[in-house]
Amino acid sequence: MILIFYYSVKNLQAQPTACHNLKNNILDQALSAASNYYDLSPLKAIMKDDEDFLLLMLHTFLRSGKENIVALDSCLLTKSSKTIGEVAHKMLNSYRQLAISETIHDLEQLELLIEIENPDFDVVKKSILNIKHISEIVFRGIEEEIVNLETP
Amino acid sequence: MQKILVIDDEIYICTLLERYLKKEGFGVETAFTGKSGLAKLKTESFDAVLCDFRLPDIDGRQMLSEIKIISQQTPVIIVTGYSDVRMAVSLIKSGAFEYVTKPIFPEEILEIIKSAIKASGAGVVFPSEMEALEPKTNSQGKYFTSGESPKFKEALKHAQMVAPTDMAVLIQGETGAGKEYVARAIHDQSTRKDKPFIAVDCGAIPKDIANSELFGHIKGSFTGAINNKEGYFEAANGGTLFLDEVGNLSYEIQVKLLRALQEKVISKVGDNKTIKVDVRILAATNEALSEAISNNSFREDLYHRLNEFTIHLPPLRERKEDILAFGRFFLNQANSDLKKNILDFDAETIDIFLKYPWYGNLRELRNVIKRGVLLSQSELFTEEVLPIEIRRFSSDSFEQINNGISFIASESIGGLKNASIEAEKEAIMNALISARYNKSKAAEFLNIDRKTLYNKIKQYNIEVDF
């Protein structure tokens, strides 16, 4: 469901400018839906109106978040369960801080792989896919937040 | 400018703390691995170190010990996920100043850093659970916080009974259970109450300097001994010396300690002269010393000397009545520290508090409440400000145990044998839930080895994730 919504927004973005206004409205709605998957207010409370600091943290989140998703993918291919656990452990702090709550349970389960031997990789794969899907939506939303913050 | 070293493999945390602490006026260095963090410590001095418990190259316990070898005085704050809280609490006994759980809140860390620097500057080398649980006195000089459970009251009653004597007392209990609180209560009700009370965390003293720390040294007795030094025994003369985690003392120190107890004399490192001391010894341990005696790592004669009277302090989970008594005390303490005015816990929070096993005992309770107060936006302390692991523990226990999701239904119900099997299953399941399905930790909670736990899981068909 989430994926369909996300990719339909992506398709709209790729189209020529025929229904420009309509498209923008839908895009706005999609991005505002993306913001339902995270919450910047705890981070903003720490920053105390320091926009540069907020931007720095959003860029850092995007960079490390994307790297970690790539790492989860490659560890899944090699079935490196311990490393999956370690990557999930690294992700948990920022995901919790941005209240990306739809991923927390899966990340916590993956974190257990640091200690669990021979997991059921079908279950692991399901968790990683969910984290990836939600993360992609969140990344889009955060990218938009960055654009808004950087636009004078 | 005070300097902080942040060691964490997650760039997000390093960036957040670096920028935040710099804004607060600190100099900050970051390191993404344990090795690079230790390298920085060897070349620069820092006022405090924030160190992740799970680094990719070196585990938290080893990091702490390496940091203490390089710079013994530097306070170390352990940053950990909630699943490692029990371990983190035990690191306090090994010399860490404090632990904080993820997700991190920079304001909370800032406050801890400030108190760590203050404590190390004031010469408080080995802060221990006393700092967390220090009994405050009111104008009448009486404690205004105490446990309400029969078990805690019994422990305090025993403390009161033994206080006026000069008997050595061995206090047994888990880390964070309040052993130092009881030791302090003994001292304060003894004839030595106007003399010093010195608390020493034996687990936090590096082995190679334990002799000098306890008994003192004279100038030139070893490299670095640039002045004469008074040890804890002399500092406590006339008063009480509380030796926490006494099982961690080396065999050589045990010999000197025994002599101090038997003959009431000590000698400083590098000095042949003996010094007469009048010190009452209170000792504490969180492990069964009888096991250490049987494997010859603890002297039996010393054990009997220290164990003239025993006080057993049960863990917090076995004295539920104390949870709210101490909880409200910590709430007031946090209100005062953070300049907040949270009136009380709401009903759901109380329910969760009473269900949660508190393996980190009073220290964990205090830290959870302090963070909750920091995050609270309303007049009541609600469950929303609790770590998700604590909230989930309550719901997991309820759903999984009551719905029996993880168990295959037993063939028949009834009879004593079935009752004990059900109790054993429930204990295993509770341990697995509180260890978040980490079997090593669950085995530790149950006091059985990992292999036995695996066999039980198989025997009872207990399903675990993955």
Side-chain angles (χ1 to χ4, degrees):
Chain A
M1 188 74 172
I2 294 156
L3 258 185
I4 294 163
F5 188 45
Y6 168 59
Y7 284 113
S8 57
V9 172
K10 202 174 176 186
N11 292 338
L12 269 173
Q13 281 181 303
Q15 281 173 16
T17 55
C19 306
H20 187 75
N21 288 339
L22 177 65
K23 191 182 79 178
N24 276 355
N25 283 343
I26 296 171
L27 189 60
D28 283 349
Q29 282 173 28
L31 287 169
S32 104
S35 69
N36 289 333
Y37 289 91
Y38 63 87
D39 180 8
L40 293 187
S41 53
L43 198 56
K44 284 178 178 168
I46 295 167
M47 309 300 153
K48 291 173 188 156
D49 301 325
D50 183 343
E51 283 196 356
D52 287 344
F53 192 178
L54 182 60
L55 268 172
L56 173 70
M57 289 318 301
L58 294 181
H59 278 296
T60 308
F61 170 75
L62 276 183
R63 198 176 101 201
S64 68
K66 286 176 179 178
E67 279 171 11
N68 287 332
I69 292 289
V70 171
L72 281 182
D73 261 344
S74 64
C75 292
L76 185 60
L77 283 176
T78 54
K79 297 198 170 177
S80 316
S81 57
K82 190 169 188 275
T83 319
I84 291 174
E86 285 164 356
V87 175
H89 171 75
K90 276 170 68 174
M91 293 170 76
L92 263 169
N93 190 71
S94 54
Y95 275 60
R96 277 189 181 132
Q97 195 150 51
L98 299 186
I100 310 170
S101 43
E102 308 263 332
T103 60
I104 301 300
H105 180 69
D106 284 309
L107 283 170
E108 284 174 344
Q109 291 298 306
L110 293 182
E111 189 191 21
L112 299 177
L113 294 178
I114 295 173
E115 314 262 357
I116 292 175
E117 293 146 22
N118 304 321
D120 177 346
F121 270 96
D122 286 339
V123 183
V124 173
K125 189 177 174 182
K126 224 185 265 179
S127 288
I128 290 181
L129 278 179
N130 183 49
I131 292 163
K132 265 182 75 176
H133 295 160
I134 303 287
S135 296
E136 281 165 2
I137 298 168
V138 171
F139 294 159
R140 295 280 302 191
I142 299 278
E143 277 162 2
E144 187 65 19
E145 302 267 5
I146 290 174
V147 170
N148 290 339
L149 280 165
E150 286 177 339
T151 308
Chain B
M1 184 189 278
Q2 288 165 326
K3 278 170 68 183
I4 313 296
L5 175 61
V6 179
I7 311 172
D8 200 306
D9 59 330
E10 174 55 23
I11 187 171
Y12 182 87
I13 292 180
C14 284
T15 310
L16 179 66
L17 289 176
E18 183 180 17
R19 182 74 178 249
Y20 182 84
L21 293 172
K22 276 183 175 168
K23 276 184 81 173
E24 295 293 330
F26 291 95
V28 183
E29 288 282 329
T30 57
F32 297 117
T33 61
K35 278 182 186 160
S36 61
L38 293 173
K40 280 185 192 246
L41 268 164
K42 280 176 187 163
T43 54
E44 292 175 61
S45 70
F46 291 93
D47 296 280
V49 176
L50 277 166
C51 182
D52 186 23
F53 181 73
R54 281 183 189 268
L55 289 166
D57 53 346
I58 307 176
D59 80 51
R61 188 170 291 282
Q62 199 190 334
M63 271 303 286
L64 177 65
S65 127
E66 304 248 354
I67 292 169
K68 287 289 167 190
I69 289 168
I70 298 167
S71 177
Q72 197 214 331
Q73 304 292 327
T74 307
V76 180
I77 298 151
I78 301 289
V79 182
T80 176
Y82 218 89
S83 54
D84 294 318
V85 154
R86 202 180 181 209
M87 193 65 83
V89 172
S90 79
L91 286 188
I92 307 287
K93 292 279 127 197
S94 304
F97 178 80
E98 186 53 282
Y99 74 88
V100 281
T101 53
K102 294 177 181 178
I104 54 165
F105 295 96
E107 298 113 305
E108 181 188 26
I109 286 190
L110 177 65
E111 207 209 323
I112 294 170
I113 286 173
K114 282 180 179 169
S115 53
I117 293 173
K118 195 175 159 196
S120 66
V124 183
V125 184
F126 305 115
S128 57
E129 70 193 47
M130 196 63 213
E131 191 219 355
L133 309 171
E134 190 171 3
K136 303 281 166 64
T137 52
N138 64 12
S139 54
Q140 284 80 46
K142 290 180 181 166
Y143 300 134
F144 61 74
T145 183
S146 176
E148 287 177 1
S149 68
K151 286 180 178 176
F152 194 79
K153 282 181 177 166
E154 188 183 65
L156 283 185
K157 194 177 157 197
H158 288 165
Q160 196 181 1
M161 280 162 57
V162 78
T165 73
D166 248 356
M167 288 168 87
V169 181
L170 185 65
I171 306 162
Q172 289 179 319
E174 286 182 6
T175 298
K179 298 190 290 292
E180 195 166 334
Y181 182 101
V182 172
R184 183 83 198 208
I186 294 172
H187 172 77
D188 285 353
Q189 294 172 86
S190 75
T191 52
R192 297 169 179 263
K193 66 181 177 196
D194 298 323
K195 301 285 181 180
F197 173 85
I198 305 280
V200 180
D201 193 336
C202 302
I205 315 177
K207 282 192 169 51
D208 49 349
I209 62 162
N211 201 347
S212 154
E213 291 293 322
L214 283 168
F215 304 104
H217 64 246
I218 59 164
K219 188 179 171 182
S221 55
F222 55 87
T223 314
I226 48 172
N227 287 308
N228 289 338
K229 179 185 161 77
E230 184 184 65
Y232 293 127
F233 263 89
E234 271 188 285
N237 205 1
T240 306
L241 181 60
F242 173 57
L243 299 173
D244 201 357
E245 302 306 328
V246 70
N248 287 332
L249 290 176
S250 70
Y251 204 81
E252 181 205 358
I253 301 294
Q254 288 175 34
V255 174
K256 282 190 87 168
L257 180 58
L258 184 65
R259 187 177 175 214
L261 281 165
Q262 283 174 333
E263 298 170 27
K264 299 194 183 302
V265 290
I266 57 157
S267 55
K268 291 185 173 190
V269 178
D271 196 356
N272 291 329
K273 280 188 285 183
T274 54
I275 303 166
K276 213 168 163 38
V277 284
D278 169 28
V279 175
R280 182 184 192 179
I281 300 288
L282 304 176
T285 175
N286 68 1
E287 57 189 344
L289 282 180
S290 49
E291 209 172 290
I293 292 165
S294 62
N295 64 31
N296 292 325
S297 59
F298 200 85
R299 290 180 65 106
E300 189 169 0
D301 45 7
L302 177 60
Y303 171 73
H304 292 301
R305 274 280 169 184
L306 294 172
N307 192 23
E308 289 174 339
F309 190 89
T310 304
I311 294 178
H312 178 66
L313 200 53
L316 195 55
R317 61 189 169 278
E318 286 177 21
R319 42 189 175 107
K320 299 267 182 203
E321 300 92 330
D322 290 346
I323 294 173
L324 286 183
F326 279 103
R328 292 199 168 105
F329 171 67
F330 293 141
L331 180 70
N332 290 334
Q333 222 178 32
N335 272 334
S336 153
D337 289 349
L338 302 169
K339 298 179 178 52
K340 293 260 211 166
N341 190 27
I342 312 298
L343 302 174
D344 201 354
F345 307 109
D346 70 358
E348 289 76 19
T349 304
I350 289 175
D351 190 44
I352 291 170
F353 275 8
L354 294 176
K355 280 180 184 162
Y356 186 69
W358 301 109
Y359 285 110
N361 290 298
L362 292 172
R363 178 174 284 276
E364 184 184 8
L365 178 67
R366 182 203 64 159
N367 285 5
V368 164
I369 290 172
K370 192 160 188 180
R371 170 174 286 202
V373 168
L374 181 77
L375 298 176
S376 285
Q377 304 285 331
S378 63
E379 284 189 331
L380 279 181
F381 188 114
T382 60
E383 62 174 312
E384 283 79 33
V385 296
L386 289 173
I388 194 161
E389 292 79 0
I390 292 185
R391 276 184 277 156
R392 187 178 298 141
F393 177 85
S394 173
S395 55
D396 281 357
S397 307
F398 180 80
E399 284 164 19
Q400 297 191 28
I401 292 168
N402 289 295
N403 296 339
I405 288 168
S406 302
F407 296 127
I408 302 296
S410 50
E411 306 251 321
S412 58
I413 305 291
L416 192 57
K417 199 175 172 188
N418 274 337
S420 83
I421 288 171
E422 287 305 311
E424 189 167 89
K425 279 182 185 176
E426 190 171 323
I428 292 170
M429 201 54 216
N430 277 334
L432 282 165
I433 291 167
S434 52
R436 298 175 65 223
Y437 298 96
N438 176 329
K439 293 188 196 75
S440 303
K441 277 187 195 152
E444 203 184 313
F445 292 166
L446 292 162
N447 219 1
I448 57 177
D449 59 43
R450 200 177 142 103
K451 197 177 167 194
T452 309
L453 179 62
Y454 271 107
N455 289 338
K456 294 279 180 194
I457 288 171
K458 204 173 164 190
Q459 181 190 344
Y460 295 139
N461 250 330
I462 296 171
E463 290 174 8
V464 292
D465 283 6
F466 299 134

